[in-house]
């Protein structure tokens, strides 16, 4: 048994936040040949479930950067939480410095209503400026973030802490690189935390025991499978951990050079059905190896 692990944003999803028909057919092609397809993302499971149902596919799902694993039928196989005390200390720090942030639980994505509106206005203001290509793409990525399913708007972070839910992941955003670096350095100090990034405007904080790579490895063990010939496809910093676990790593054509440099190969862009291209090429190579 072998696995194909696929990131969502910037990878499987095109710039319209949809899975193309070509990518859907490629996933089904692999599944029909007994390959286990795994969606591996920073998004919450309930959001991924909505996307997969719309596309008519039933993969395994590694969610919230490895904090959760769900079976093809939707059963939670594994969850790694953050303590409420640690979540509170993180939110106090972010809140006191006016970051936009989102808190992912097993039930919802919590964010502050006023802070969300401010971030939306910042995006709107940036879109009206004459931006270079990289910055324009970054603003578009940030705007698509709001298309996720499961948002609950609250007045303050105390409302989040009142929830009797499992806390998986905290995402903090800023277009100010120095401010983002400050947050990265702040939370990297804590041994029990994992800090990664899925785009140049954010950092994502989970338990140190949670990463896409560790979750993929755990899934392979649970399924009595192997990652020796497994493939992982992605485009961002938070995909690096799963690239390190597989035998065949693929960077999207739209990934930065630093991501392409650590991968086995590069495929087409997310708006060019790069996942489908990578799957068919992988299947041909795998059959030869077999």
């Amino acid at each position: 048994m072998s696995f194909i692990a696929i990131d969502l944003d910037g990878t499987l999803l095109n710039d319209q936040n949809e899975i193309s028909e070509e990518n859907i057919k490629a996933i089904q092609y692999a599944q029909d040949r007994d390959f286990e397809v795994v969606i591996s993302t920073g998004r919450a499971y309930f959001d991924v479930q909505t996307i997969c149902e719309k596309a008519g596919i039933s993969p395994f799902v590694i969610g919230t950067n490895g904090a959760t694993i769900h079976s093809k039928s939707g059963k939670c196989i594994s969850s790694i939480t953050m303590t409420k005390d640690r979540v509170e200390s993180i939110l106090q720090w972010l809140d006191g410095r006016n970051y936009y942030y989102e808190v992912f639980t097993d039930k919802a994505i919590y964010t502050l209503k006023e802070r969300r509106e401010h971030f939306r206005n910042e995006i709107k203001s940036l879109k009206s400026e004459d931006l270079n290509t990289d910055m324009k793409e970054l603003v578009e990525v940030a705007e698509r973030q709001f298309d996720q399913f499961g948002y609950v708007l609250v007045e303050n972070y105390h409302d989040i802490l009142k929830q009797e839910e499992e806390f998986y992941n905290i995402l903090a955003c800023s277009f100010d690189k120095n401010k983002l670096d400050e947050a990265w350095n702040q939370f990297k100090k804590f041994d029990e935390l994992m800090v990664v990034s899925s785009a140049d405007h954010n950092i994502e904080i989970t338990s140190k025991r949670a990463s896409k790579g560790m979750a993929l490895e755990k899934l392979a063990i649970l399924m009595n499978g192997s990652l020796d010939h497994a493939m992982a496809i992605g485009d961002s910093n938070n995909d690096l951990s799963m690239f390190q676990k597989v035998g065949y790593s693929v960077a999207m054509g739209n990934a930065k050079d630093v991501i392409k440099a650590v991968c086995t190969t590069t495929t087409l862009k997310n708006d060019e059905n790069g996942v489908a291209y990578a799957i068919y090429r992988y299947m041909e190579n795998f059959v030869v190896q077999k």
Side-chain angles (χ1 to χ4, degrees), residues 7 9 11 40-43 64-65 138 141 145 169-174 177 180-181 183-184 188 194-206 210-212 234-243 255-256 258-259:
D7 171 53
D9 292 277
T11 301
S40 185
T41 178
R43 292 187 182 228
T64 47
N65 283 319
L138 183 61
V141 168
Q145 182 176 319
N169 184 52
I170 298 171
L171 178 143
C173 299
S174 176
K177 186 179 185 304
L180 210 57
D181 287 345
W184 183 286
K188 269 298 201 182
M194 176 78 72
V195 184
V196 296
S197 173
S198 59
D200 286 346
H201 74 293
N202 71 36
I203 64 168
E204 302 186 42
I205 308 162
T206 60
S211 74
K212 290 186 177 185
D235 73 313
S236 300
N237 168 274
N238 66 338
D239 298 314
L240 292 175
S241 64
M242 66 176 183
F243 289 156
K256 292 187 178 299
V258 67
I259 302 298

Side-chain angles (χ1 to χ4, degrees), residues 174-230:
S174 176
F175 291 113
D176 183 335
K177 186 179 185 304
N178 291 330
K179 189 173 180 179
L180 210 57
D181 287 345
E182 182 186 7
W184 183 286
N185 293 329
Q186 168 66 19
F187 299 118
K188 269 298 201 182
K189 298 175 184 176
F190 297 95
D191 289 339
E192 76 270 29
L193 297 179
M194 176 78 72
V195 184
V196 296
S197 173
S198 59
D200 286 346
H201 74 293
N202 71 36
I203 64 168
E204 302 186 42
I205 308 162
T206 60
S207 164
K208 191 75 170 184
R209 299 177 294 116
S211 74
K212 290 186 177 185
M214 285 187 279
L216 184 59
E217 189 173 50
K218 180 183 291 187
L219 179 60
I221 292 170
L222 291 171
M223 296 293 293
N224 294 315
S226 169
L227 297 180
D228 290 347
H229 296 291

Side-chain angles (χ1 to χ4, degrees), residues 5-280:
I6 311 169
D7 171 53
L8 264 184
D9 292 277
T11 301
L12 184 59
L13 295 178
N14 58 27
D15 290 346
Q16 285 70 53
N17 258 4
E18 296 176 337
I19 305 177
S20 70
E21 285 298 322
E22 290 83 354
N23 285 342
I24 292 170
K25 289 175 181 176
I27 287 173
Q28 292 170 337
Y29 177 85
Q31 289 177 321
D32 288 344
R33 284 152 184 80
D34 297 325
F35 286 80
E36 294 295 354
V37 174
V38 184
I39 302 299
S40 185
T41 178
R43 292 187 182 228
Y45 171 70
F46 45 77
D47 183 33
V48 184
Q49 184 183 36
T50 302
I51 293 170
C52 290
E53 286 179 351
K54 182 179 179 181
I57 57 175
S58 300
F60 284 95
V61 176
I62 292 173
T64 47
N65 283 319
T68 62
I69 306 174
H70 284 78
S71 71
K72 290 183 283 188
S73 63
K75 178 182 178 181
C76 184
I77 300 172
S78 172
S79 65
I80 298 174
T81 62
M82 304 169 69
T83 67
K84 186 168 284 191
D85 286 345
R86 178 53 69 202
V87 170
E88 181 174 10
S89 71
I90 294 170
L91 297 188
Q92 282 178 340
W93 193 92
L94 293 171
D95 200 73
R97 290 159 181 80
N98 294 315
Y99 286 82
Y100 172 73
Y101 56 85
E102 300 174 355
V103 180
F104 291 68
T105 75
D106 58 326
K107 299 289 194 303
I109 305 170
Y110 291 96
T111 191
L112 275 59
K113 182 178 180 180
E114 184 177 343
R115 206 69 61 84
R116 177 185 169 101
E117 190 62 28
H118 182 271
F119 193 57
R120 274 189 177 279
N121 288 337
E122 188 176 4
I123 290 172
K124 185 177 180 180
S125 176
L126 284 169
K127 287 179 70 176
S128 68
E129 297 179 13
D130 185 19
L131 304 175
N132 62 39
T133 301
D134 288 345
M135 191 61 187
K136 184 178 179 181
E137 288 179 359
L138 183 61
V139 170
E140 290 173 351
V141 168
E143 187 172 38
R144 288 198 296 273
Q145 182 176 319
F146 294 119
D147 290 337
Q148 294 179 91
F149 172 80
Y151 278 113
V152 173
L153 305 184
V154 297
E155 296 300 323
N156 55 64
Y157 75 86
H158 298 289
D159 290 339
I160 300 174
L161 296 169
K162 290 176 185 176
Q163 307 305 316
E164 294 300 322
E165 299 172 16
E166 293 188 332
F167 293 92
Y168 294 141
N169 184 52
I170 298 171
L171 178 143
C173 299
S174 176
F175 291 113
D176 183 335
K177 186 179 185 304
N178 291 330
K179 189 173 180 179
L180 210 57
D181 287 345
E182 182 186 7
W184 183 286
N185 293 329
Q186 168 66 19
F187 299 118
K188 269 298 201 182
K189 298 175 184 176
F190 297 95
D191 289 339
E192 76 270 29
L193 297 179
M194 176 78 72
V195 184
V196 296
S197 173
S198 59
D200 286 346
H201 74 293
N202 71 36
I203 64 168
E204 302 186 42
I205 308 162
T206 60
S207 164
K208 191 75 170 184
R209 299 177 294 116
S211 74
K212 290 186 177 185
M214 285 187 279
L216 184 59
E217 189 173 50
K218 180 183 291 187
L219 179 60
I221 292 170
L222 291 171
M223 296 293 293
N224 294 315
S226 169
L227 297 180
D228 290 347
H229 296 291
M231 176 173 69
I233 315 172
D235 73 313
S236 300
N237 168 274
N238 66 338
D239 298 314
L240 292 175
S241 64
M242 66 176 183
F243 289 156
Q244 295 167 356
K245 298 291 184 181
V246 300
Y248 191 70
S249 54
V250 182
M252 296 299 295
N254 48 282
K256 292 187 178 299
D257 289 342
V258 67
I259 302 298
K260 293 176 181 177
V262 302
C263 288
T264 308
T265 188
T266 298
T267 186
L268 302 176
K269 296 180 179 180
N270 65 315
D271 256 4
E272 299 172 337
N273 307 307
V275 166
Y277 181 80
I279 287 176
Y280 291 131

